[in-house]
Amino acid sequence: MMSKQILSIQSSIFGDQGVSSGLAKQLVDKFVAEADYQLTVRDVTQDNIPHFNAQTLSDIADGNATLADALIAEVQQADVIVIAAPMYNFSIPSQLKSWFDHIARAGVTFKYTELGPQGLLTNKKVYVVTARGGQYQGSGKDIDSSYLNVILPFLGLTDVEFIYAEGVNMGGDTRESSIQAAEKQVNDLVA
Ligand SMILES: Cc1cc2nc3c(=O)[nH]c(=O)nc-3n(C[C@H](O)[C@H](O)[C@H](O)COP(=O)(O)O)c2cc1C
């Protein structure tokens, strides 16, 4: 039997040192070690996923959108997707937004029906690991989570769980206690 696939989307500008990167890696490692998942890592910031533009659209029309096709295939093949989504200027990293721009393709990852849009990336579990310098969970300023709560279900990714590490730049012991709480949450997820 083919082993299940886990896709790790990393997007911190701090690479492996990012808070979101570390937590996401911990979660992914658990799936690999405890449930024998096969891992694909896509670091959208290191790979510098370019802005989606008119050329990308015409490449898609011509069947030449190599990068977008590869990014879509990675998502289609995944059973579990772990998205590390740090908050930068109240949003997700622009490279992660570009990743969404590349994978959202009408007729492939979503389609329009008489009843409205329908996501085509179904039967996948998504974990979003977010890290913030401040504390915004549940507030109107939690724009990155609001966006992810719209774009993911739009693509059919309806089973989404968030892990928050907040207040990591607030000083005192907020950083440590917040990361520890997130680590515990991660530990309890793949039990
Ligand atoms: C360019 C930049 C912008 C940031 N903007 C915000 C922000 O708007 N709100 C916030 O709470 N923290 C902000 N931070 C702090 C980050 O959220 C924090 O460093 C977090 O650890 C980032 O996740 P990462 O370590 O996985 O990259 C910002 C950090 C950087 C580098």
Side-chain angles (χ1 to χ4, degrees), residues 2 5 21 44-45 55 64 71 85 92 106 125 128 139 144-145 156:
M2 247 178 65
Q5 305 283 320
S21 325
V44 297
T45 298
Q55 182 63 49
N64 288 330
L71 298 176
I92 56 173
K125 174 83 190 182
V128 174
S139 81
D144 48 348
S145 296

Side-chain angles (χ1 to χ4, degrees), residues 9 29-30 35-36 46 61-63 67 76 88 90 92 96 102 113 116 119 126 129 131 136 148 153 163 180 182 186:
I9 302 296
D29 285 351
K30 275 182 77 82
D36 200 24
Q46 200 170 300
D62 297 342
L67 174 64
Q76 286 173 328
Y88 296 150
F90 298 97
I92 56 173
L96 186 57
H102 281 77
T113 71
V126 178
V129 183
Y136 297 106
L148 292 167
I163 296 132
Q180 268 173 24
V186 164

Side-chain angles (χ1 to χ4, degrees), residues 12-14 18-20 86-90 131-134 136 168-169:
S12 171
I13 59 171
F14 304 113
V19 176
S20 65
M87 179 189 270
Y88 296 150
N89 298 314
F90 298 97
R132 289 94 185 271
Y136 297 106
V168 303
N169 292 347

